[in-house]
């Protein structure tokens, strides 16, 4: 949620707890008093603060009921937002994202723990103007600092930005014991000022920061430091001048990836998983990923050249379709075009889209290349999606696309197929798609995702390759379906660990290694199986498999496996 800009979501927020409706009268008096920040507000840690409170016999302790001005720099562990711009956050000195959000009955639970400080952002207490910049960052100032006033109040801005995983300096009044009005009786900090030190890696939060920069609602220096922009304040100013919403959101994806590391990781990595990652280095080296590719400018995209964009799907600027889905289709067309270019062109190329849903990719292939070059068939298990795709193709008068509702594992019409494509083929569906291509001597362009999905699916491979893959030579080769781990020629437990790591959130670099390893195993299996297939067929053809990555602005978690054939017949 972002302040008052989305009233529908704000209406869904829970009411303010009774103990937080009205701050203590003394807090209200102090909040409206002009205070010398440097002399009056003491910088401390949460650990030291609670230690002093517990050592009540010491002369310099904070007495029960005393209201003390303090400044604390700490991590946000949990957050709970309420109506009327009230936000409660839990602060910790050391942040461990593995257990960041304890939930009770589906809601975040704010715990009574002396290692965590409850901090309250309340509109009656928090200042209108955020003037903490002089107190932090070694009291450095910048002539480049943006001085424009915000339209949103600081309490709305920071209520949206201070989510788990962010680091912040808070200034306010610490209330110990009963004077805090809180039900748990523990000390609480009523915040008057805030300054974000490090943003959460979460894409939504980073995009919020980008829009705040664009609208001059946040200090440029604060934003550049919180996002760890290599170009500092000058890069923040460039962002503020970027008019295209989709371009800003692509930039946000890059920043989100840069903010991710082991400190933001959501999930535990066991020694066994670390061992598997080390084992996978050989596969990743054998099938390296190229540097991040650059998507052609949208002005040169196939959508605009063919005037297809609005026909595929109507959308607004900056929507998920505009910033991700549509450009992903555009990028996939570029990869597919490379494979089509190897075809002699004596007849239309037969393409099967596995798990193609409503046919967004297939329809674009059919329309862009035309009926003289391609005939496309879509297979998806969802009959409703298939029906919608058929109606769309009819409206667009596409006569070179067909739809089939069925299980892609067994119901794919593959007679004479030249290429298999799949975009966002979840889990083992990627292996199914590649297996179909190999079993028919076809090329392929497959984009995997959701690596733990569809674990029940098996892979169809040429019968002649069954014993070639299996460790047990006594396994009969009559059944053309094999388990994915057998198809990949890898121990099943090793494969399970790789899938677990690939789905870890908050550390895209770690997850990326596992995703790369799985795609490398698929590439290796495709090349070795196809070699056996062509030898059995006595065909002078070969398959070369490459791994590619999406431009980071389109996806930080998707790669593409491209299988090109030499000696393709016309």
């Amino acid at each position: 949620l972002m302040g008052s800009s989305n009233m529908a979501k704000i209406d869904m927020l829970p009411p303010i707890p009774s103990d937080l409706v009205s701050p203590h009268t003394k807090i209200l008096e102090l909040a409206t008093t002009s205070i010398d920040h440097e002399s009056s507000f003491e910088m401390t840690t949460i650990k030291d603060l609670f230690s002093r409170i517990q050592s009540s016999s010491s002369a310099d302790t904070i007495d029960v009921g005393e209201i003390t001005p303090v400044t604390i720099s700490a991590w946000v562990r949990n957050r709970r937002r309420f109506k009327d711009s009230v936000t409660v956050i839990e602060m910790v000195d050391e942040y461990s994202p593995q257990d960041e959000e304890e939930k009770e009955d589906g809601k975040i639970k704010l715990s009574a723990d002396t290692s965590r400080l409850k901090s309250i952002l309340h509109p009656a207490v928090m200042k209108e103007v955020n003037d903490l910049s002089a107190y932090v960052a070694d009291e450095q100032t910048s002539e480049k600092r943006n001085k424009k006033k915000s339209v949103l109040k600081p309490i709305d801005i920071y209520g949206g930005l201070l989510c788990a995983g962010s680091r912040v300096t808070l200034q306010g009044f610490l209330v110990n014991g009963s004077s805090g009005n809180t039900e748990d009786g523990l000390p609480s900090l009523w915040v008057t000022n805030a300054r974000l030190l490090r943003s959460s890696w979460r894409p939504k939060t980073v995009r919020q920061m980008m829009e705040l920069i664009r609208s001059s609602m946040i200090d440029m220096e604060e934003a550049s430091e919180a996002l760890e922009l290599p170009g500092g304040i000058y890069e923040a100013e460039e962002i503020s001048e970027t008019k295209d919403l989709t371009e800003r959101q692509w930039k946000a994806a890059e920043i989100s990836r840069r903010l991710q590391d082991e400190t933001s990781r959501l999930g535990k990595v066991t020694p066994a998983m670390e061992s598997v990652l080390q084992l996978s280095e050989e596969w990743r080296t054998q099938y390296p990923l190229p540097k991040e590719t650059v998507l052609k400018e949208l002005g040169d995209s196939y959508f605009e050249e063919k005037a297809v964009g609005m026909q595929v799907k109507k959308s607004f600027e900056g929507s998920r379709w505009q910033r991700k889905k549509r450009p992903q289709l555009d990028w996939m067309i570029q990869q597919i075009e490379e494979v089509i270019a190897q075809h002699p062109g004596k007849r239309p190329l037969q393409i099967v889209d596995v798990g193609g849903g409503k046919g967004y990719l297939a329809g674009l292939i059919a329309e862009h290349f035309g009926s003289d070059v391609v005939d496309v068939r879509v297979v998806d298990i969802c009959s409703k999606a298939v029906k919608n795709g058929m109606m769309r193709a009819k409206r667009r008068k596409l006569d070179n696309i067909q739809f089939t509702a069925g299980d892609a594992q067994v119901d794919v019409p593959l007679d004479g197929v030249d290429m298999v494509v799949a975009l966002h083929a979840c889990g083992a569906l990627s292996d199914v798609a590649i297996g179909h291509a190999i079993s028919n001597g076809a090329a392929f362009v497959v984009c995997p995702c959701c690596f733990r999905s569809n674990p029940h699916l098996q892979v169809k491979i040429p019968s002649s390759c069954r014993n070639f893959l299996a460790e047990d030579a006594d396994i009969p080769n009559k059944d053309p379906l094999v388990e994915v781990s057998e198809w990949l020629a890898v121990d099943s437990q090793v494969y399970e660990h790789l899938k677990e790591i690939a789905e870890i959130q908050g550390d895209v670099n770690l997850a990326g290694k596992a995703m790369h390893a799985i795609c490398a195993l698929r590439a290796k299996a495709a090349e070795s199986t196809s070699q056996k297939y062509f030898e059995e067929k006595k065909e002078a053809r070969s398959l070369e498999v490459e791994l590619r990555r999406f431009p980071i602005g389109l996806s930080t978690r998707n790669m593409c496996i491209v299988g090109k054939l030499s000696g393709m017949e016309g």
Side-chain angles (χ1 to χ4, degrees):
L1 298 178
M2 194 59 199
S4 58
S5 61
N6 193 328
M7 298 306 298
K9 289 185 178 180
I10 288 176
D11 288 340
M12 296 172 63
L13 289 172
I16 305 172
S18 58
D19 59 325
L20 301 180
V21 172
S22 301
H24 191 278
T25 54
K26 188 175 181 180
I27 297 175
L28 294 174
E29 291 174 5
L30 290 171
T32 57
T33 304
S34 178
I35 297 177
D36 184 339
H37 294 280
E38 294 187 31
S39 61
S40 300
F41 284 78
E42 177 186 9
M43 176 71 82
T44 185
T45 64
I46 295 172
K47 181 179 179 180
D48 181 59
L49 197 62
F50 278 105
S51 176
R52 291 175 53 196
I53 291 173
Q54 292 169 355
S55 303
S56 58
S57 59
S58 175
D60 62 350
T61 58
I62 301 174
D63 295 329
V64 173
E66 183 179 353
I67 298 177
T68 308
V70 296
T71 300
I72 288 179
S73 293
W75 294 91
V76 178
R77 186 181 188 278
N78 282 331
R79 176 186 66 177
R80 187 94 185 266
R81 303 193 71 183
F82 302 95
K83 290 183 182 296
D84 299 326
S85 299
V86 173
T87 301
V88 179
I89 57 177
E90 276 188 347
M91 308 293 294
V92 291
D93 286 327
E94 301 293 334
Y95 176 64
S96 177
Q98 282 79 8
D99 57 354
E100 66 173 20
E101 290 188 347
E102 296 178 354
K103 295 189 177 181
E104 189 176 77
D105 297 330
K107 296 182 179 180
I108 294 176
K109 176 185 177 183
L110 300 176
S111 63
D113 186 339
T114 55
S115 67
R116 311 174 194 176
L117 177 64
K118 180 185 291 186
S119 300
I120 303 156
L121 279 62
H122 196 288
V125 178
M126 194 165 185
K127 292 182 177 294
E128 288 286 323
V129 181
N130 177 32
D131 191 29
L132 204 64
S133 55
Y135 194 82
V136 296
D138 298 327
E139 300 180 1
Q140 294 181 359
T141 60
S142 170
E143 295 180 359
K144 294 288 185 179
R145 184 174 299 148
N146 191 301
K147 298 291 185 179
K148 294 183 180 179
K149 290 185 178 181
S150 300
V151 175
L152 289 176
K153 296 179 180 180
I155 193 167
D156 295 317
I157 293 173
Y158 290 102
L161 296 178
L162 300 186
C163 59
S166 58
R167 184 169 173 79
V168 65
T169 295
L170 295 181
Q171 195 173 71
F173 297 98
L174 183 78
V175 184
N176 186 29
S178 59
S179 296
N181 286 4
T182 54
E183 294 177 350
D184 54 27
L186 291 175
S188 56
L189 178 67
W190 292 77
V191 179
T192 58
N193 270 314
R195 182 178 174 88
L196 190 62
L197 302 179
R198 189 179 193 273
S199 171
S200 163
W201 63 270
R202 288 171 171 77
K204 180 179 179 180
T205 304
V206 177
R207 289 197 297 270
Q208 287 179 351
M209 283 284 287
M210 298 282 281
E211 295 313 301
L212 289 170
I213 292 172
R214 168 67 180 163
S215 55
S216 301
M217 292 184 185
I218 191 169
D219 178 82
M220 290 289 190
E221 186 176 19
E222 177 181 3
S224 63
E225 292 173 357
L227 294 176
E228 299 183 357
L229 299 179
I233 192 171
Y234 301 103
E235 187 172 344
E237 289 174 344
E238 288 180 1
I239 292 171
S240 71
E241 296 170 1
T242 303
K243 295 181 179 180
D244 185 76
L245 177 57
T246 297
E247 186 177 343
R248 293 199 302 275
Q249 292 176 333
W250 287 357
K251 179 68 175 179
E254 296 179 19
I255 295 171
S256 172
R257 180 175 180 176
R258 193 162 57 235
L259 289 171
Q260 297 181 47
D261 55 29
E262 61 182 15
T263 65
S264 60
R265 183 185 305 157
L266 301 177
K268 296 181 180 180
V269 179
T270 65
M273 294 162 73
E274 291 178 350
S275 177
V276 166
L277 271 185
Q278 293 176 357
L279 175 67
S280 72
E281 184 176 358
E282 177 184 349
W283 309 324
R284 288 182 275 122
T285 301
Q286 185 177 356
Y287 293 92
L289 276 171
K291 292 182 179 180
E292 292 165 4
T293 56
V294 178
L295 184 71
K296 293 180 181 180
E297 293 291 333
L298 288 180
D300 296 329
S301 74
Y302 297 117
F303 290 95
E304 297 202 3
E305 288 175 5
K306 300 292 291 184
V308 177
M310 293 304 291
Q311 296 179 38
V312 173
K313 183 173 180 176
K314 294 183 179 180
S315 59
F316 56 88
E317 181 192 3
S319 67
R320 181 173 176 79
W321 172 263
Q322 288 280 1
R323 74 175 187 267
K324 284 183 179 291
K325 294 302 182 182
R326 183 182 119 166
Q328 284 179 3
L329 292 172
D330 196 1
W331 187 84
M332 284 290 287
I333 288 290
Q334 296 173 27
Q335 315 314 308
I336 292 167
E337 187 172 47
E338 287 188 25
V339 180
I340 289 179
Q342 294 183 305
H343 189 260
K346 296 179 181 179
R347 61 171 175 80
L349 196 66
Q350 303 298 308
I351 299 178
V352 172
D353 184 356
V354 174
K358 297 178 182 179
Y360 288 142
L361 176 60
L364 188 57
I365 294 171
E367 188 166 0
H368 174 72
F369 295 106
S371 58
D372 291 339
V373 178
V374 297
D375 279 321
V376 189
R377 286 170 278 174
V378 178
V379 179
D380 196 278
I381 200 167
C382 178
S383 58
K384 183 177 179 180
V386 166
K387 184 178 180 180
N388 287 339
M390 292 173 66
M391 293 173 63
R392 180 177 290 106
K394 185 177 181 180
R395 288 196 303 268
R396 290 160 62 183
K397 298 180 180 180
L398 296 176
D399 59 1
N400 58 336
I401 183 170
Q402 301 175 23
F403 289 81
T404 300
D407 184 352
Q409 186 175 235
V410 293
D411 295 335
V412 180
L414 290 163
D415 295 339
V417 64
D418 298 295
M419 186 194 308
V420 175
V421 300
L423 175 59
H424 299 312
C426 292
L429 186 60
S430 291
D431 302 283
V432 169
I434 297 174
H436 284 313
I438 300 303
S439 296
N440 291 273
F444 59 86
V445 178
V446 173
C447 166
C449 74
C450 306
F451 290 84
R452 301 184 74 177
S453 297
N454 294 318
H456 63 285
L457 293 180
Q458 294 181 303
V459 185
K460 182 179 180 180
I461 60 170
S463 297
S464 59
C465 298
R466 178 64 190 263
N467 289 336
F468 167 71
L469 289 175
E471 295 179 2
D472 187 348
D474 293 330
I475 296 177
N477 60 13
K478 293 180 181 179
D479 185 359
L481 296 176
V482 301
E483 297 295 330
V484 173
S485 58
E486 181 183 342
W487 141 250
L488 298 178
V490 67
D491 179 79
S492 59
Q493 191 57 51
V494 168
Y495 183 50
E496 288 301 317
H497 283 321
L498 284 175
K499 290 192 292 182
E500 287 181 71
I501 301 170
E503 291 302 324
I504 285 178
Q505 302 292 314
D507 190 350
V508 71
N509 296 316
L510 178 80
K513 290 181 180 180
M515 289 186 277
H516 183 183
I518 293 172
C519 289
L521 284 172
R522 287 167 172 162
K524 183 179 180 182
E527 285 191 342
S528 59
T529 310
S530 66
Q531 181 181 357
K532 182 72 172 177
Y533 173 83
F534 290 130
E535 287 176 358
E536 291 289 334
K537 294 285 186 178
K538 296 182 180 180
E539 295 183 17
R541 304 170 70 191
S542 62
L543 177 75
E544 180 183 350
V545 183
E546 299 176 2
L547 302 186
R548 299 176 185 178
R549 70 171 95 221
F550 275 79
I552 190 172
L554 306 187
S555 174
T556 59
R557 300 185 63 84
N558 286 114
M559 300 173 185
C560 190
I561 311 172
V562 179
K564 296 181 180 180
L565 285 172
S566 64
M568 291 180 68
E569 297 180 359

